């Protein structure tokens, strides 16, 4: 069924109907006995009790890794598979580490400088792009780079910076949007 849907979308890039449901009866398809959406998740009840603002604030302070890396910057001209051939991005260097101007100034890092980005999992060299996009203390890298094309590596693979144990308790998904890191001269 997935392949049929995919082919249908390819054949109709303008869009296609994949299901019809009467508006007034759409919740009757829910498989819960009462046909309601249940937001309570029993496994998360104890976790909710752990949320305490003071403790949360203290847990964010990390002298060894004072910055937060957010992985997954998106561009209109990058997507998971079009980056495989670097010709798609021949306009400019796109796998830069976005850094707040005040943070860059404090670390004496200029736009275009190569730095060492270190996390608990790994460290990689990456070029900095000073920007007003990230807030202070946050740096941003795109996903999908670090690929080898024609024997040359293009960009850095942000997955190498994410530790497999740094993940969501419920889904076990890596926390790519919150990776403690530090930035040093390369």
């Amino acid at each position: 069924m997935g392949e049929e849907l995919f082919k249908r979308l390819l054949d109709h890039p303008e869009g296609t109907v994949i299901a019809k449901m009467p508006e007034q009866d759409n919740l009757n398809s829910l498989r819960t006995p009462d046909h309601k959406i249940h937001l309570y998740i029993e496994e998360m009840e104890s976790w909710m009790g752990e949320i305490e603002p003071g403790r949360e604030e203290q847990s964010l302070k990390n002298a060894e890794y004072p910055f937060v890396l957010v992985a997954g910057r998106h561009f209109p001209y990058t997507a998971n598979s079009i980056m495989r051939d670097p010709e798609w991005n021949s306009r400019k260097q796109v796998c830069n580490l976005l850094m707040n101007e005040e943070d860059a100034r404090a670390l004496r890092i200029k736009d275009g400088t190569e730095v060492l980005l270190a996390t608990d999992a790994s460290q990689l060299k990456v070029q900095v792009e000073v920007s007003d996009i990230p807030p202070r203390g946050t740096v941003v890298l795109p996903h999908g780079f670090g690929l080898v094309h024609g024997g040359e590596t293009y960009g850095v693979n942000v997955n190498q910076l994410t530790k497999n144990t740094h993940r969501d308790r419920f889904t076990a998904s890596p926390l790519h949007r919150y990776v403690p890191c530090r930035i040093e001269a390369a």
Side-chain angles (χ1 to χ4, degrees):
M1 190 157 96
E3 286 181 28
E4 288 176 34
L5 177 59
F6 185 68
K7 179 165 178 9
R8 198 163 167 190
L9 290 170
L10 289 176
D11 293 342
H12 299 280
E14 73 281 1
T16 186
V17 175
I18 58 170
K20 288 186 179 183
M21 198 69 193
E23 282 184 42
Q24 63 275 11
D25 294 329
N26 63 355
L27 293 180
N28 288 335
S29 295
L30 289 173
R31 294 181 182 161
T32 56
D34 58 2
H35 298 288
K36 292 183 179 178
I37 298 171
H38 295 262
L39 298 177
Y40 172 75
I41 301 171
E42 186 176 337
E43 295 88 347
M44 293 180 69
E45 183 175 8
S46 64
W47 305 344
M48 298 301 287
E50 294 172 16
I51 299 173
E52 195 278 309
R55 200 169 90 212
E56 290 282 316
E57 187 176 347
Q58 285 303 312
S59 73
L60 295 175
K61 295 177 181 175
N62 187 332
E64 187 177 2
Y65 299 108
F67 288 89
V68 171
L69 168 64
V70 175
R73 179 181 181 198
H74 298 282
F75 300 93
Y77 48 89
T78 58
N80 291 335
S81 60
I82 66 171
M83 295 177 296
R84 303 306 186 241
D85 182 347
E87 190 58 35
W88 278 94
N89 294 311
S90 61
R91 295 180 278 236
K92 67 179 225 166
Q93 171 73 21
V94 293
C95 189
N96 295 329
L97 179 70
L98 285 189
M99 177 182 266
N100 177 283
E101 188 174 354
E102 292 178 51
D103 288 334
R105 193 177 315 116
L107 293 174
R108 296 189 172 123
I109 295 171
K110 295 189 184 319
D111 193 60
T113 302
E114 188 175 70
V115 297
L116 189 66
L117 176 61
T119 68
D120 206 18
S122 182
Q123 56 186 16
L124 299 170
K125 289 181 181 179
V126 64
Q127 188 172 318
V128 168
E129 181 179 332
V130 177
S131 169
D132 61 355
I133 292 174
R136 286 201 75 186
T138 302
V139 292
V140 184
L141 259 181
H143 257 301
F145 288 92
L147 302 167
V148 178
H149 184 82
E152 189 175 341
T153 303
Y154 290 86
V156 298
N157 184 341
V158 76
N159 291 329
Q160 293 176 335
L161 296 165
T162 306
K163 198 168 185 178
N164 64 350
T165 56
H166 184 65
R167 60 187 183 192
D168 178 79
R169 288 191 266 185
F170 192 68
T171 65
S173 295
L175 297 173
H176 291 293
R177 305 284 188 195
Y178 185 89
V179 180
C181 69
R182 77 174 165 267
I183 297 143
E184 304 170 352

